[in-house]
Amino acid sequence: MLTLLTGRAAPVRAPHPLRAEAVRGFTPWAGAAVLLTAGAMLGGTADRWQGDWAATATEVHTVLLITLPLAGAAGCWQGGRERRRGTEELWGTTVRPPLTRLLTAALPVALWVAAGYFAVALLALLATWPYAQGDRPHPSLLPGDTVAMAAAALAGHVLGRAVPTRLAAPLLGVGGFLGLGTTLGDPSAAVRALSPVTSSLDELPVWWQSCAMAVWTGGLALAAVLACAARRRVTFLLPLAAALAAGTLLAQTGDGLWRPDPLARRQVCDTSVAPAICVNARYAGMLPQVREALSGITGKLEGVRNLPARWADHAGAPHAGEARLPGITPLGWSTVRGRLTDPRQFAWEAVTALENSDCPESAMTLRVLRADDAVESYLAPNTLQRQGLVPGDGPAEERRLLAARARLAGMAEQRRRDWLSAYFAARRGCRPKEIPAL
């Protein structure tokens, strides 16, 4: 209608430069690179974290060891773009102030790499959800990690503008990886606290750690941007002061940034069998599977005395009256995606835990080893036969082992209960001479 009345076409509004930078050229590819790199790393180790909220959070956080240098390198490459094109002098003639020009080129990369990392983190949480056996998601580090990704890209952009070489980006990537890797093994608690890649599987961060880390990394990057391009360079002191304050708080707190996970100290038990079966509360959903795997053992131990009160699943050595439950963690071995990988092997390990492993080597006589073999074969018969654990292996010794197994399995019910009761009393008391003969 405007064209008909005035005879002139309506002016077409030019797209905002920030939008053009965000959807064209190198910028979207930087986000895709972060997404694919982090996704490939997490996908390759999925057996280790899928099904465990704490392990998922740790793996997603540890990916920063690669994605932070990648984000810095991407920002550095973008920062040197005008020098590579030979358009630095042309850009200097525009009416936009230097800070606006810098942010127009740097912010899209920062936002894309941060979005790529955030998307991978969300996908990892979604991948864990169907297999989680307890606990709850641990997203507390995600805000600080996302800000760190954007900060790395901004700082890299400033470096790319300042260093006149095409090698700046790859060197920054390699140097960043080596530097971050060094902080993980640094003996100083302050250095570890200031590193954005530090994590702890069995501990939770304090509630303010992510905010302080965001101010620490974001403040340093913003200070570098203002020092490089602000009309009043002194304004860089404000974000620098905020970053130093946050860094001081992190460094002084040190290892206090992490607190024990209260859920990891709890156990969920099935007391309907003897010994009782307890699993860590973080994997409470595994209890039915564990009970099923050990059902053959608990059924055969009914009426047997001198047993531990429970199989326990907690950190540290078993307490008095406990035997250690075979390890559900670390994931990727006996447990993958919420399922026991080999219930028969799990049952065999549970039987060996009923024996006292703290006895001195002098107590591990041939008679003890033969009795152990017979008990393990009777209680967990579907496991692989032990090999190379009895001195003097050979046809004659194998016949003795098979004969001992047959005698224990062929005993009358009550006699076998009495024999097992005496065996466990002697075995747990490290009294090999009191183990009854077979």
Side-chain angles (χ1 to χ4, degrees):
M1 179 63 71
L2 182 62
T3 302
L4 294 176
L5 293 176
T6 62
R8 292 179 297 175
V12 178
R13 186 176 181 181
H16 194 280
L18 194 63
R19 179 181 180 277
E21 290 279 2
V23 298
R24 297 175 184 172
F26 167 76
T27 303
W29 291 105
V34 170
L35 178 68
L36 294 176
T37 302
M41 291 180 61
L42 290 173
T45 60
D47 288 353
R48 288 199 321 230
W49 54 265
Q50 203 169 1
D52 183 346
W53 289 119
T56 300
T58 300
E59 288 290 330
V60 168
H61 182 70
T62 304
V63 164
L64 287 176
L65 185 63
I66 297 297
T67 57
L68 278 177
L70 181 59
C76 187
W77 185 258
Q78 180 78 347
R81 179 183 62 178
E82 306 309 328
R83 185 184 301 109
R84 293 192 303 274
R85 292 176 175 177
T87 58
E88 285 182 296
E89 293 184 4
L90 179 61
W91 270 100
T93 62
T94 61
V95 296
R96 293 193 185 94
L99 181 60
T100 301
R101 295 200 303 268
L102 186 150
L103 292 177
T104 299
L107 277 180
V109 175
L111 294 176
W112 267 105
V113 296
Y117 174 80
F118 190 78
V120 168
L122 290 183
L123 290 174
L125 292 175
L126 290 175
T128 284
W129 175 69
Y131 306 105
Q133 299 297 320
D135 204 356
R136 62 192 183 284
H138 296 270
S140 55
L141 290 175
L142 190 53
D145 293 348
T146 306
V147 172
M149 287 291 296
L154 288 176
H157 189 96
V158 173
L159 183 65
R161 283 176 169 250
V163 179
T165 173
R166 291 173 179 264
L167 294 177
L171 289 177
L172 177 61
V174 174
F177 171 74
L178 295 177
L180 290 173
T182 301
T183 63
L184 292 177
D186 196 287
S188 171
V191 173
R192 293 195 303 272
L194 291 173
S195 172
V197 298
T198 302
S199 63
S200 180
L201 176 59
D202 295 321
E203 294 180 307
L204 300 175
V206 295
W207 65 269
W208 50 266
Q209 181 186 13
S210 187
C211 297
M213 185 60 69
V215 175
W216 163 241
T217 56
L220 289 177
L222 185 56
V225 168
L226 294 178
C228 176
R231 180 174 298 174
R232 296 181 179 179
R233 303 292 175 86
V234 73
T235 55
F236 87 94
L237 293 174
L238 183 59
L240 180 62
L244 292 178
T248 301
L249 178 61
L250 290 169
Q252 289 183 344
T253 307
D255 290 336
L257 292 170
W258 302 91
R259 57 184 176 84
D261 185 353
L263 196 63
R265 297 183 173 186
R266 289 176 45 207
Q267 295 187 88
V268 178
C269 300
D270 179 1
T271 58
S272 64
V273 294
I277 302 171
C278 300
V279 299
N280 194 283
R282 286 165 56 179
Y283 313 102
M286 293 289 297
L287 184 57
Q289 287 186 65
V290 173
R291 182 176 57 227
E292 177 64 24
L294 303 184
S295 59
I297 300 171
T298 54
K300 292 174 182 177
L301 289 177
E302 188 174 351
V304 175
R305 305 178 302 279
N306 305 317
L307 293 169
R310 67 186 67 83
W311 278 290
D313 183 17
H314 57 71
H319 302 153
E322 291 182 346
R324 184 184 297 280
L325 187 76
I328 293 176
T329 57
L331 301 189
W333 294 91
S334 61
T335 306
V336 174
R337 295 181 182 87
R339 304 296 302 178
L340 291 175
T341 56
D342 191 345
R344 294 179 297 177
Q345 178 70 14
F346 188 88
W348 177 79
E349 292 176 5
V351 172
T352 62
L354 296 177
E355 305 159 358
N356 189 356
S357 59
D358 295 329
C359 294
E361 255 186 68
S362 57
M364 301 304 292
T365 63
L366 187 58
R367 178 177 180 175
V368 173
L369 294 175
R370 287 173 181 167
D372 289 350
D373 179 82
V375 170
E376 292 163 14
S377 177
Y378 169 68
L379 294 177
N382 293 324
T383 62
L384 295 176
Q385 185 174 343
R386 296 172 68 183
Q387 297 289 340
L389 297 182
V390 179
D393 281 353
E397 183 59 33
E398 184 177 350
R399 285 194 296 271
R400 294 189 189 96
L401 290 176
L402 294 175
R405 294 178 184 180
R407 283 193 290 272
L408 179 60
M411 285 182 182
E413 196 76 23
Q414 187 57 47
R415 185 186 173 194
R416 185 166 51 239
R417 289 196 191 100
D418 294 338
W419 189 96
L420 288 171
S421 298
Y423 163 81
F424 282 114
R427 193 68 176 82
R428 296 187 64 78
C430 295
R431 299 187 297 271
K433 294 183 179 179
E434 297 181 14
I435 292 180
L438 270 176

